[in-house]
Amino acid sequence: MFKKMPIRLRLTVMMIILLTICCIGLTLILNFSAGIMATKIDAAAVLPAQVDGEDSNSMDSLQTPPDVMMPTPSEESQQARTDFKMNSIVYLLLVIVGGGVLTYYVSGKVLKPLDTLNSQIKNRTVHNLSETMDIPSTNDEIAELTQSFNEMTDKLNDAFMMQSRFSANAAHELRTPLAVLKTKVDVFKKKHIHSTEEYDALISVFEKQIQRLSELVSSLLDMTNMNDELANETICLKDVLEDIVSELSHIAVEKDVKLYLDCNECVVYGNTDLLYQALYNIVENGIKYNIVGGMVIITVKTDKKQVIVEIKDTGIGIPDEEKKNIFEPFYRVDKSRSREMGGSGLGLSIVQSIIHKHNGHILVTDHENGGTCFEITLGKIK
Ligand code: ADP
C-alpha cells in the first residue's frame, strides 16, 4: 500500500515516522534525565538539615549515604514532574504534526515541476510529437528528464514520419500500375469487337503491370522478412560475386557496360541469399545508372578484422545532398528514369537492412572518375 501512495504522501508519511521515532526517543531521555535531576534537587534540599556538621559543599555528601533514607519528593516536586511529562508529550505531538504538515507543503513545492512535466506529457499525441517541451533552467533531474523526453519524442516523431511516408509511397506505387490496368480495361470495354493486335496489346500491358506489381510486393515482403533470424553460414565472397557478375553480364552487354571483379579468397559469416541479394542490387544499380561504354569495378580488400567490398561505377553519380536519402524506402533521385528502368526505390533500403543485419555498414561516396562508389564493410572470419 505504501508503494502505491503518491510520492508527496510517501515522503510525508516517512518524515512523520522518522520524527515520531526521534521525538519519542528524545522525550524518554529528557524525562529520564529530568527525573534524576529532580531527585538530586530534592535530596539537596533535605540533606543539609539531616547531615549536621558535614561539609555541605562536598559532592560526595550529595550521593545517597547508606545510613540516610531516600527523601520522599514533596507534593510540588511531584506536580512539577507530572507537568514536565505532560508538556513534553504535548511538544512531541506538536513537533510531529508540525513536521508532517511542513514536509507535505515543502514536498509539494519540490515536486511541482514534476507535476507540470506530467501534465505536459499527458497532452502529447501523435499530432504534436514534433513540439519540444521547455527545459527548466534548474539544471536538476527534472531538467534532465525533460531533455530525455524531448529526445525520445524526436526519435518517435522521425519514426512516425518515416512510417507515414512509407505507407503513402507504398500506396502510390501500388496505385500506379492498378490505374494503368483500369484505364486500359475501360478503353477496351468501349468497343465490342476487337482485333487480334488489340488483344495482344492489352495482354502485354497486363503482363508488364502485373510483373511490376509482383516485384513491388516481393520487395515489400523482403523488407518485412528482414527481422527473421539470420542464418550464420560461412560465405565465400569470391563465389558470390562471381555468380552476380555472370548473372548480370547479359544486362551489362545490353547497356555496353564492362564489369570487372578483383577478389581474393575470403570468407564472412551470414546468410548467403541475403548477402547475394544486397551485392546484386548494388552491382545492378551500377549498370542501370551508368553511361553507354561505362564500367563497374568490384574490388574486395581485407585486413585483419574486416572485409571491404567496393563497387564503383562510372555512371551518372548521386548529388551530395541526395546521398543521405537514397537508403530511404521508395526514394529515387531521378523518379522518371528509375521508373523507366522498372525501379521501385526499395532496393537500397533493403540493401542497407541486409548489411546492418550482418553487423556491417554501407557508405556511399563519389567515384574519382565520376559516378558512384558503394563501400560495404563486413566482419571477417579469421
Ligand atoms: P531503384 O529501384 O529506383 O533503383 P534503389 O533503392 O536501388 O531504387 O536506388 C534508389 C535511388 O538511388 C535510385 O532511384 C537512383 O536514383 C539512385 N541510385 C542508386 N544507385 C545508383 C548509382 N549507382 N548511380 C546513380 N544513382 C544511383
Side-chain angles (χ1 to χ4, degrees):
M1 186 194 131
F2 185 68
K3 279 186 184 161
K4 283 182 189 162
M5 280 182 191
I7 297 179
R8 189 179 186 185
L9 211 63
R10 227 187 298 173
L11 274 174
T12 311
V13 171
M14 269 159 69
M15 186 51 99
I16 288 175
I17 293 173
L18 209 75
L19 275 176
T20 310
I21 295 169
C22 293
C23 289
I24 288 178
L26 203 68
T27 311
L28 284 177
I29 293 168
L30 274 178
N31 273 290
F32 182 69
S33 313
I36 293 176
M37 190 72 81
T39 312
K40 281 182 182 172
I41 291 167
D42 283 346
V46 176
L47 275 178
Q50 287 181 341
V51 193
D52 209 12
E54 280 188 25
D55 183 5
S56 58
N57 287 332
S58 160
M59 278 308 286
D60 291 344
S61 64
L62 282 176
Q63 306 297 320
T64 317
D67 53 336
V68 176
M69 293 274 289
M70 272 294 283
T72 40
S74 65
E75 217 168 278
E76 285 133 29
S77 156
Q78 197 66 49
Q79 184 61 40
R81 283 168 197 248
T82 320
D83 286 351
F84 186 83
K85 267 185 199 150
M86 289 313 291
N87 285 345
S88 60
I89 289 169
V90 171
Y91 288 130
L92 172 142
L93 292 175
L94 274 180
V95 169
I96 293 171
V97 173
V101 172
L102 212 68
T103 311
Y104 189 74
Y105 175 76
V106 172
S107 55
K109 284 251 168 232
V110 173
L111 295 172
K112 181 109 181 74
L114 202 63
D115 247 8
T116 319
L117 181 69
N118 186 30
S119 56
Q120 278 180 307
I121 291 174
K122 274 184 187 162
N123 289 334
R124 283 295 146 129
T125 62
V126 199
H127 309 292
N128 61 3
L129 269 183
S130 58
E131 290 169 21
T132 47
M133 287 195 300
D134 297 334
I135 299 170
S137 53
T138 42
N139 211 11
D140 56 5
E141 285 83 357
I142 291 171
E144 217 172 288
L145 192 68
T146 316
Q147 168 83 27
S148 308
F149 185 79
N150 277 342
E151 283 169 13
M152 191 192 72
T153 49
D154 275 353
K155 284 182 204 153
L156 272 179
N157 190 45
D158 285 351
F160 268 123
M161 298 304 286
M162 211 169 132
Q163 196 78 39
S164 56
R165 268 202 308 273
F166 181 86
S167 316
N169 286 331
H172 180 77
E173 289 298 325
L174 290 168
R175 200 180 55 184
T176 313
L178 290 174
V180 172
L181 289 176
K182 188 171 181 313
T183 319
K184 290 283 169 192
V185 170
D186 287 347
V187 171
F188 194 79
K189 269 181 10 190
K190 281 193 178 139
K191 267 172 82 181
H192 293 291
I193 301 162
H194 301 279
S195 64
T196 324
E197 287 79 35
E198 280 171 332
Y199 275 112
D200 286 347
L202 186 72
I203 288 170
S204 109
V205 171
F206 264 63
E207 259 176 2
K208 201 173 156 200
Q209 297 306 325
I210 288 170
Q211 170 74 16
R212 194 168 161 197
L213 274 173
S214 67
E215 274 171 14
L216 194 66
V217 170
S218 84
S219 295
L220 284 169
L221 271 175
D222 283 347
M223 289 196 77
T224 48
N225 291 341
M226 213 52 76
N227 296 331
D228 292 354
E229 196 77 358
L230 176 75
N232 254 352
E233 303 153 359
T234 308
I235 307 165
C236 174
L237 264 186
K238 194 173 179 222
D239 292 350
V240 171
L241 288 167
E242 276 174 356
D243 284 353
I244 292 171
V245 169
S246 113
E247 197 161 322
L248 285 171
S249 56
H250 70 281
I251 309 177
V253 171
E254 265 172 35
K255 282 214 65 175
D256 194 14
V257 172
K258 292 208 163 41
L259 296 179
Y260 295 97
L261 171 64
D262 174 13
C263 177
N264 295 324
E265 297 290 337
C266 66
V267 281
V268 290
Y269 260 139
N271 182 310
T272 315
D273 294 339
L274 288 181
L275 215 55
Y276 181 94
Q277 187 186 349
L279 296 169
Y280 182 99
N281 270 340
I282 300 176
V283 180
E284 190 190 25
N285 277 350
I287 302 168
K288 265 186 354 188
Y289 300 104
N290 219 314
I291 49 165
V292 177
M295 288 184 289
V296 176
I297 306 149
I298 309 161
T299 326
V300 180
K301 298 176 194 161
T302 53
D303 66 20
K304 276 184 192 157
K305 287 185 184 160
Q306 52 193 21
V307 177
I308 300 163
V309 184
E310 263 182 8
I311 300 169
K312 297 178 191 168
D313 65 63
T314 53
I316 56 170
I318 301 171
D320 281 344
E321 65 278 10
E322 303 279 7
K323 285 194 177 82
K324 61 178 187 317
N325 300 324
I326 56 165
F327 295 105
E328 211 178 285
F330 297 109
Y331 194 87
R332 287 177 278 213
V333 179
D334 184 342
K335 288 181 182 51
S336 53
R337 183 173 177 151
S338 160
R339 261 206 201 106
E340 229 171 74
M341 295 174 185
S344 62
L346 285 174
L348 286 180
S349 175
I350 296 174
V351 169
Q352 192 186 45
S353 306
I354 294 175
I355 301 301
H356 285 171
K357 213 170 157 58
H358 283 79
N359 294 325
H361 51 91
I362 180 165
L363 204 77
V364 56
T365 50
D366 290 327
H367 178 26
E368 58 267 24
N369 301 330
T372 314
C373 172
F374 282 93
E375 189 184 287
I376 297 150
T377 310
L378 296 165
K380 184 185 163 195
I381 303 178
K382 287 140 220 157

